[in-house]
Amino acid sequence: MVRIGAEMAQSPVAIHASTPSELKERIEAERRGTPFLVYRDGGGNQRLVDLATAPPMLSIGRRASNHIPLAWDLSVSRVHAVLERIGDSWTLLDDGLSRHGTYVNGHRRTGRHRLASGDLLRVGATVMLFCAPRPDSSVTAGEAQVPDVGRLTDAQRRVLVALCGPCGRSGGYAAPASNQAIADELFLSVDAVKTHLRALFQLFHVQQLAQNQKRARLVELALDAGIVVPGDP
């Protein structure tokens, strides 16, 4: 998932570890195996939208009349964008409604864009995570996917902390650091970073996920388990 930070406005939501009830809510949503959207509101509270029971078209914007109202985010337009279900897929539609644009994984999108599980949506300064787990998926955010901290080498932990860095500096849900950004920060080659990440994917049991989901899941598990905390050196 593309780094969010320098090129994106800071979210007003302060970063903090997920509470047990928030983590339980996400685990239950994943186990249902149906799409959902998760983000944090102006008070830093987790909001989860079950798309399986939602209308086939949902408006996102600052007005209270929107299906997903973001009244606290003044950089969001009154009617900003629309989520629409087409067949078995969800799409994001921005037909010029928004003043500041709509972004998916750090790239501005106009018109209709098909969403994939793990995509990060940004409207204004609010970042949302789109999840579309498979009903038979064996990967959850449970403890079985979190290795003993003692099994991580020093090099692996440094790479993991660097990967999670943007998620601790931006509010809500942010994208993990790119391989190049990690390499620059740790004075490693990109190939070395890739080698450490492959090992981490195995340790956290996320290697079978799609490429655009592995990094985000790894960050989520590391932060939720407290293996990495915002501000770690």
Side-chain angles (χ1 to χ4, degrees), residues 192-228:
V193 171
K194 290 180 179 178
T195 298
H196 289 309
L197 284 174
R198 282 194 293 269
L200 287 166
F201 294 153
Q202 293 282 341
L203 283 169
F204 282 78
H205 305 287
V206 298
Q207 68 274 14
Q208 69 270 42
L209 294 179
Q211 190 60 40
N212 70 323
Q213 299 176 43
K214 291 179 184 178
R215 300 164 73 88
R217 174 62 74 198
L218 180 57
V219 168
E220 183 179 20
L221 290 172
L223 291 174
D224 284 338
I227 294 175
V228 177

Side-chain angles (χ1 to χ4, degrees), residues 29-31 33 35 48 58 68 71 97 100 109 140 157 165-166 197 232:
E30 290 174 354
R31 286 176 176 164
L48 194 148
L58 297 91
I68 302 177
L97 295 173
H100 298 301
R109 300 294 183 180
T140 71
R157 189 179 187 283
L197 284 174
D232 266 357

Side-chain angles (χ1 to χ4, degrees), residues 81-82 91-96 102 108-114:
V82 172
T91 64
L92 182 67
L93 177 64
D94 186 333
D95 274 344
T102 301
R108 185 166 184 169
R109 300 294 183 180
T110 57
R112 188 180 301 278
H113 178 78
R114 183 178 179 179

Side-chain angles (χ1 to χ4, degrees), residues 136-152:
D136 60 347
S137 175
S138 62
V139 177
T140 71
E143 291 79 5
Q145 277 66 52
V146 180
D148 181 358
V149 179
R151 295 176 60 191
L152 299 180

Side-chain angles (χ1 to χ4, degrees), residues 152-213:
L152 299 180
T153 67
D154 288 342
Q156 288 170 352
R157 189 179 187 283
R158 286 195 298 271
V159 168
L160 185 57
V161 169
L163 179 74
C164 298
C167 305
R169 291 191 292 271
S170 296
Y173 297 88
S178 67
N179 289 344
Q180 186 63 62
I182 296 171
D184 292 344
E185 179 178 338
L186 301 180
F187 302 102
L188 296 173
S189 68
V190 171
D191 284 342
V193 171
K194 290 180 179 178
T195 298
H196 289 309
L197 284 174
R198 282 194 293 269
L200 287 166
F201 294 153
Q202 293 282 341
L203 283 169
F204 282 78
H205 305 287
V206 298
Q207 68 274 14
Q208 69 270 42
L209 294 179
Q211 190 60 40
N212 70 323
Q213 299 176 43

Side-chain angles (χ1 to χ4, degrees), residues 3-119:
R3 178 172 181 154
I4 294 177
E7 74 276 25
M8 290 192 176
Q10 290 281 11
S11 167
V13 180
I15 264 291
H16 54 77
S18 296
T19 65
S21 61
E22 289 174 344
L23 182 56
K24 180 174 183 289
E25 184 182 31
R26 291 206 303 277
I27 292 172
E28 291 174 348
E30 290 174 354
R31 286 176 176 164
R32 286 195 294 269
T34 54
F36 63 94
L37 197 68
V38 61
Y39 62 98
R40 292 195 182 279
D41 63 20
N45 302 302
Q46 177 172 281
R47 297 288 186 93
L48 194 148
V49 180
D50 183 0
L51 297 176
T53 59
M57 183 178 291
L58 297 91
S59 60
I60 303 172
R62 203 171 70 249
R63 281 179 176 167
S65 57
N66 285 287
H67 294 94
I68 302 177
L70 308 175
W72 65 88
D73 190 340
L74 299 182
S75 57
V76 170
S77 298
R78 287 175 292 181
V79 179
H80 197 105
V82 172
L83 280 173
E84 184 176 5
R85 184 171 60 233
I86 299 179
D88 294 331
S89 299
W90 279 91
T91 64
L92 182 67
L93 177 64
D94 186 333
D95 274 344
L97 295 173
S98 65
R99 186 170 68 253
H100 298 301
T102 301
Y103 294 77
V104 178
N105 298 330
H107 300 285
R108 185 166 184 169
R109 300 294 183 180
T110 57
R112 188 180 301 278
H113 178 78
R114 183 178 179 179
L115 296 175
S117 187
D119 279 347

